[in-house]
Amino acid sequence: MNIGVIGSGYVGLVVAACFAEMGNSVKCVDIDEFKIQQLKEGIIPIYEPGLDILVKENYNKETLHFTTDIEAILSVSEIVFIAVGTPMGKDGSADLKFVLQVAKSIGENMQHHLVIVDKSTVPVGTADKVRETIQKSLNERNSNLTFDVVSNPEFLKEGAAIKDFMHPDRVVVGANDESSMELMRNLYAPFTVSNDRFIGMDIRSAEMTKYAANAMLATKISFINEIANICEKVGADVNYVRTGIGSDKRIGYQFIYPGCGYGGSCFPKDVQALINIANNHGYNPKLISSVESVNKAQKKVLFSKLTKQLGEDLNGKTIAVWGLSFKPETDDMRESASIELIQSIVKAGGKVSAYDPKAIHEAQFYLKDIEVNYCNDKYTALEAADALILITEWKEFRSPDFDLMQSKMNGYLFIDGRNQFKTDFIESKGFKYVQIGVS
Ligand SMILES: NC(=O)c1ccc[n+]([C@@H]2O[C@H](COP(=O)([O-])OP(=O)(O)OC[C@H]3O[C@@H](n4cnc5c(N)ncnc54)[C@H](O)[C@@H]3O)[C@@H](O)[C@H]2O)c1
């Protein structure tokens, strides 16, 4: 199939590369000329395991193309994905300006019947807005071209995006007509050969499914964080409680790890957008609003654990931070707990030495006004440190050399925002070990 993908960010690039890998001819467009130039030179602007190989191979095979010219892709595509950003607006709503700009230029430039697919995460009713915007542009051209709008929310996880797209748990498609649904079914057939995971539905339900999924996952995280905070108060250990409840199949072990709050490009903005959608329809989503406020509070927990140990005034103290990205296997810093923590440490007079395997470049952008000593490896970050705070559970932090750590550090305080170790084990290495949800 001839496919156009508009927006070559995390989602657009993964979608384009995976469709190309399955033998389609995919043309990717972006307004960011620098990004498109980099992609043509084989430079992948994000860190996502396996993506560089897939992009380079398909680009060299000419099954994947990059351009800034939307007209060129519309003239040869039969199906066009909109995969541009939907950032959080000032009022918490999803800002649709990029999506609607794309819809407008589709209407201005399309030359034959097209199926337009909303891949971006968009509020319920957006497909109608996309349809109206395209139709308006066509009317202005006095064109009677036809098109269909389909919703196909994306469920990939950064860090495992290729695997998730190639082997999806489900493919959700919302369409109002059978021919578009059939086209989408055929397009996704290679990804669901062993087990048909294609779930067709109406457009509004598909749009809502994405928000419901992210709200559910965010709820699990805020739930266990709240339980962790109660555990600390009552002298229980959340690590036991987590395994105790996870063994119940109705609850399950996934997404009930206590931590320093969820971040990333999706949960914070999508939870906020869902609250906004509900409010706009006269409904007060009490549970989902609490999920959001529990998360905001959780992002302060590591700093309060630090000051409890070292005092409120951190002048003269050096704090080592391991991990900066919002989760492992990505360089994405959006809404990462590390941002607020580092800002708080510096505001309290402390110095920060930080190491992350992939996200230092991004962190320098997100913390551009803050002085941070970025280090090339995890042990250098520990030099003269009074405490270590682990934020992101990259694999290389799982079995560190504790003797080497001790030889570098000033004070042996280890605050673990991901509860990676057993207390007895770390204490046997001579560290004071502070976890989340353990008093
Ligand atoms: N990142 C994720 O893990 C993830 C997962 C599922 C869904 N989503 C959703 O997918 C959408 C895209 O997210 P992302 O993380 O890929 O965003 P991103 O910011 O990484 O990429 C968006 C790209 O769109 C480009 N763009 C903006 N306006 C354009 C235009 N008019 N024409 C062409 N290109 C344009 C930008 O330059 C950018 O490269 C969002 O709605 C997001 O919520 C993201």
Side-chain angles (χ1 to χ4, degrees), residues 5-13 29-32 35 46 68 70 82-87 97-99 101-102 105 119-122 153-158 161 210 214 265-266 269-270 326-327 332 334:
V5 177
I6 304 178
S8 311
Y10 276 89
V11 169
L13 212 48
V29 70
D30 204 286
I31 43 169
D32 185 337
K35 189 180 272 188
I46 51 170
T68 51
I70 189 166
I82 302 178
V84 295
T86 47
K97 72 170 175 283
F98 299 117
V99 171
Q101 272 165 11
V102 168
S105 53
K119 191 54 138 170
S120 300
T121 302
V122 289
E154 182 50 55
F155 297 97
L156 62 77
K157 299 183 286 298
E158 286 179 16
K210 174 66 188 174
N214 277 357
S265 68
C266 292
K269 92 172 162 61
D270 292 349
F326 85 96
K327 68 172 185 178
D332 200 338
R334 290 178 276 190

Side-chain angles (χ1 to χ4, degrees), residues 304-345:
S304 75
K305 285 183 181 299
L306 178 69
T307 52
K308 195 170 166 202
Q309 298 294 326
L310 297 186
E312 300 283 330
D313 181 3
L314 296 178
N315 271 295
K317 304 282 185 204
T318 298
I319 313 303
V321 171
W322 276 4
L324 294 163
S325 55
F326 85 96
K327 68 172 185 178
E329 300 299 331
T330 178
D331 59 357
D332 200 338
M333 281 290 296
R334 290 178 276 190
E335 306 278 340
S336 173
S338 66
I339 298 172
E340 189 173 330
L341 173 72
I342 290 173
Q343 284 168 338
S344 304
I345 294 171

